[in-house]
Amino acid sequence: MAKFDPVRKQHVGRVESGAGSHTHYMGKRIQNELIDSISSKILDTIVEEIKRCKYFSIILDYTPDLSHKEQLSVIVRIVSLEDKPQVKEHFLGFLVAEQSTGERLTLLILKRLGELNIPFEDCRGQSYDNGANMKGENKGVQARLLQQNPRAFCVPCGAHTLNLVVAEAAKSSPDAIGYFGYLTKLYKLFSASTHRWDILLKHVKTTLKSWSETRWESRIKSVEAVKYQAGQIREALLEVRETTADPVVRVEAQSLAEEIGSYRFIICTTIWYDILYKIQHVSKLMQSPSMQLDVAVDLLKKTGDSLTCYRRTGFSDAQTTAKEMCEEMNVESVLKQKRLRSTKRQFGYESPDEPIDDALKNMEITFFNVVVDTALSSLDERFQHLEEVNNKFGVLINFPTTSNEELSKHCQTLSSALTHDGQPDIDGRELAAEMQNVPHLPSKKMTNMELLTFLHEKKLTEMYPNLWVALRISATLPVTVAAAERSFSKLKLVKTYI
């Protein structure tokens, strides 16, 4: 390398001649020593910033690495106060978890914070995925940490909530399960052969997409490719049927071409695209590191309202879109009733439901209503816990429109929630008095971060100390574990590719 670098060439020359210091930084271990030194310095800087900010939240998630060892990713979320209030999420490293029980993971986390001299008493939030050993209310990590610090509010991951909503909806109906099964067969048929993939490329602009088994909302890409190119994909399947010499592939291509050209499949495609589009957009927003609890709750509420509205008109709208797509493909827009398997009737006190002869009505009841209702029910169930935490801090943004009596009540509730061992973070009475005397705000509806920035820019932090502290704690609470998921991408890059 010295041949191409004059500075290095001069250095190597001094080392070879024996001139100068014996420390020449050309040993076989020097790279790791330099990396460790840089890592240590960065970590010290992060820890110093965490201590300056005082309040922090932890984000935890774990995954097996290439050597089949559980790697626990530790992220700390703070509100930095250097120039202006800013949310930061710092990665503190991976911890090898020999056992993934709630007890062992809790000890591992507390040990790491102790090594870095970060007091767990200043933790005000914790967020995990939906694993039982993490979020379990009895023996999970969140329960054990709450025993030591009741002020470490557990906030469920909003992005995982939406992911589970879609997953449960996709498994709620036989038609829903069958639909995604056809998409899988479609992708596998073309991707299994370069010749068949070339045929597909001749007909479409956007290729078919595979999906992650765990990130259900990402399936919108695979549904989108079919929704806007159903006719072209059908033509590609017919060409595969005519050109292939494999009888199995010929039958599979014919079967898929018939299915894609069916009125039932096109209605399912339209409905799933509409549902996934509503959820995927919000899911992307929820993964932002700067996402705030109050904004996340508002987004989830709007998603629920949007699905409720879609429940009323979505099926009729899907029929209209499906008919237009059928006309473009020159196929009949007729829904045929599926034949039901005859089963032996057993004696029972309750009579069975009367069969529905209208195929469209039957599809609306057994597919559309079931899928949307399951999504709404799942969203409401998981939304409750997030809203409970948000309600404790709701007074921080609703105080301009709250009466003095209600304001004092909510401030005392928040003060009690932020008190442990007789040590409160804020004084409820003083907080209510501060809110009643806040100067004119630019807007009556401001987010926590906007109000925090307003107090900082107007240099009012010392005049409103309780409001300042409460807003910082609220902004510190995480609403997603996306930062931990991103660290796994780097882990895979290092361990698998490099």
Side-chain angles (χ1 to χ4, degrees):
M1 293 179 66
K3 295 180 181 179
F4 310 101
D5 188 339
V7 177
R8 185 176 283 108
K9 183 176 182 180
Q10 184 180 6
H11 176 67
V12 171
R14 287 201 304 268
V15 172
E16 290 178 342
S17 64
S21 172
H22 293 289
T23 305
H24 49 74
Y25 300 101
M26 291 175 61
K28 60 182 180 181
R29 297 186 180 89
I30 186 59
Q31 295 94 334
N32 289 342
E33 290 181 11
L34 288 172
I35 292 172
D36 289 341
S37 298
I38 295 171
S39 172
S40 178
K41 186 63 178 177
I42 292 174
L43 191 59
D44 290 343
T45 304
I46 291 174
V47 171
E48 288 176 6
E49 185 175 21
I50 293 172
K51 291 180 178 179
R52 280 199 307 272
C53 298
K54 185 176 174 61
Y55 306 111
F56 68 91
S57 294
I58 54 175
I59 300 171
L60 305 172
D61 202 358
Y62 65 94
T63 188
D65 64 6
L66 195 63
S67 59
H68 307 290
K69 293 184 178 180
E70 293 287 1
Q71 298 283 348
L72 179 68
S73 177
V74 182
I75 310 289
V76 169
R77 177 184 171 102
I78 59 173
V79 176
S80 176
L81 305 173
E82 292 179 352
D83 298 324
K84 65 177 183 177
Q86 180 184 3
V87 174
K88 290 185 178 181
E89 293 180 345
H90 290 302
F91 172 65
L92 296 186
F94 289 112
L95 306 178
V96 178
E98 297 179 357
Q99 298 180 29
S100 57
T101 63
E103 180 181 7
R104 298 298 299 176
L105 291 174
T106 302
L107 292 175
L108 195 63
I109 298 159
L110 294 176
K111 180 181 177 182
R112 181 57 173 166
L113 292 177
E115 291 172 349
L116 298 174
N117 199 23
I118 300 175
F120 181 65
E121 293 77 18
D122 292 336
C123 180
R124 293 295 177 269
Q126 45 180 323
S127 185
Y128 318 107
D129 64 2
N130 290 281
N133 56 344
M134 301 296 283
K135 71 165 189 174
E137 296 182 358
N138 297 318
K139 297 183 179 180
V141 174
Q142 70 128 336
R144 296 178 183 276
L145 292 180
L146 282 172
Q147 290 175 0
Q148 299 197 30
N149 182 4
R151 291 180 286 189
F153 302 103
C154 182
V155 184
C157 175
H160 278 78
T161 294
L162 293 172
N163 187 45
L164 287 173
V165 166
V166 179
E168 292 183 7
K171 298 174 183 177
S172 62
S173 163
D175 280 333
I177 297 172
Y179 174 76
F180 285 108
Y182 280 118
L183 289 185
T184 303
K185 291 179 182 179
L186 192 63
Y187 177 78
K188 288 183 177 179
L189 177 71
F190 284 107
S191 64
S193 165
T194 55
H195 173 67
R196 295 197 290 270
W197 192 259
D198 288 339
I199 293 176
L200 176 67
L201 293 178
K202 285 196 311 182
H203 292 84
V204 302
K205 294 181 180 179
T206 305
T207 59
L208 298 175
K209 302 292 191 298
S210 61
W211 55 67
S212 167
E213 289 296 332
T214 54
R215 294 184 60 195
W216 279 81
E217 79 278 3
S218 67
R219 299 196 172 195
I220 188 173
K221 295 297 181 182
S222 59
V223 177
E224 184 179 31
V226 176
K227 182 180 187 299
Y228 292 107
Q229 304 175 126
Q232 294 89 327
I233 294 173
R234 184 168 176 268
E235 292 295 327
L237 287 168
L238 294 176
E239 184 174 339
V240 169
R241 182 195 64 181
E242 298 299 328
T243 57
T244 185
D246 189 337
V248 176
V249 175
R250 187 183 302 116
V251 172
E252 182 76 4
Q254 175 66 27
S255 174
L256 289 173
E258 292 176 358
E259 183 62 31
I260 286 184
S262 68
Y263 191 39
R264 179 183 299 275
F265 183 88
I266 296 172
I267 290 177
C268 288
T269 299
T270 305
I271 291 171
W272 270 118
Y273 178 79
D274 292 341
I275 293 175
L276 289 171
Y277 181 79
K278 295 176 185 299
I279 291 178
Q280 188 250 5
H281 176 67
V282 177
S283 179
K284 294 295 183 185
L285 293 175
M286 296 280 282
Q287 295 174 31
S288 170
S290 59
M291 177 56 62
Q292 298 298 307
L293 181 63
D294 54 327
V295 179
V297 169
D298 187 53
L299 285 173
L300 288 176
K301 187 177 184 302
K302 289 180 179 178
T303 302
D305 294 341
S306 178
L307 287 174
T308 301
C309 181
Y310 184 70
R311 171 72 159 74
R312 295 192 292 268
T313 61
F315 191 73
S316 59
D317 294 342
Q319 292 179 60
T320 303
T321 303
K323 287 179 181 179
E324 296 174 355
M325 294 173 66
C326 287
E327 290 177 2
E328 293 177 1
M329 289 190 287
N330 196 24
V331 296
E332 292 184 347
S333 55
V334 178
L335 187 65
K336 298 178 181 179
Q337 182 69 281
K338 287 187 175 181
R339 292 183 59 186
L340 300 177
R341 182 186 301 174
S342 59
T343 56
K344 185 177 179 180
R345 182 173 298 179
Q346 303 293 334
F347 173 77
Y349 290 100
E350 295 183 1
S351 62
D353 294 335
E354 291 293 329
I356 301 173
D357 295 329
D358 187 349
L360 274 173
K361 189 65 178 177
N362 184 53
M363 185 179 185
E364 181 180 8
I365 293 173
T366 61
F367 168 66
F368 177 78
N369 290 351
V370 171
V371 168
V372 179
D373 287 346
T374 302
L376 282 169
S377 175
S378 178
L379 185 62
D380 289 340
E381 179 184 349
R382 291 174 171 81
F383 177 70
Q384 288 178 0
H385 194 178
L386 196 65
E387 192 173 25
E388 287 176 5
V389 179
N390 184 61
N391 286 340
K392 291 184 174 68
F393 294 88
V395 66
L396 299 177
I397 58 174
N398 297 326
F399 71 89
T401 57
T402 305
S403 64
N404 291 343
E405 184 179 352
E406 287 293 319
L407 186 63
S408 298
K409 179 181 176 181
H410 290 310
C411 288
Q412 287 296 338
T413 302
L414 179 59
S415 177
S416 299
L418 293 174
T419 301
H420 178 51
D421 287 341
Q423 298 180 353
D425 290 330
I426 59 173
D427 186 294
R429 292 182 179 179
E430 292 183 4
L431 176 62
E434 290 174 10
M435 288 180 172
Q436 292 169 2
N437 294 283
V438 168
H440 179 70
L441 299 176
S443 172
K444 289 186 177 180
K445 191 67 175 179
M446 299 177 70
T447 65
N448 284 340
M449 282 303 297
E450 289 173 344
L451 186 53
L452 199 64
T453 304
F454 173 80
L455 293 178
H456 176 78
E457 290 178 347
K458 300 299 181 180
K459 300 183 180 184
L460 301 173
T461 58
E462 294 184 1
M463 295 180 62
Y464 301 92
N466 291 277
L467 181 59
W468 176 248
V469 170
L471 287 169
R472 283 164 52 200
I473 293 175
S474 176
T476 299
L477 297 179
V479 294
T480 176
V481 298
E485 300 283 359
R486 295 187 192 102
S487 70
F488 295 150
S489 299
K490 298 301 181 185
L491 178 69
K492 185 177 181 181
L493 175 68
V494 172
K495 289 215 167 191
T496 305
Y497 301 122
I498 296 181

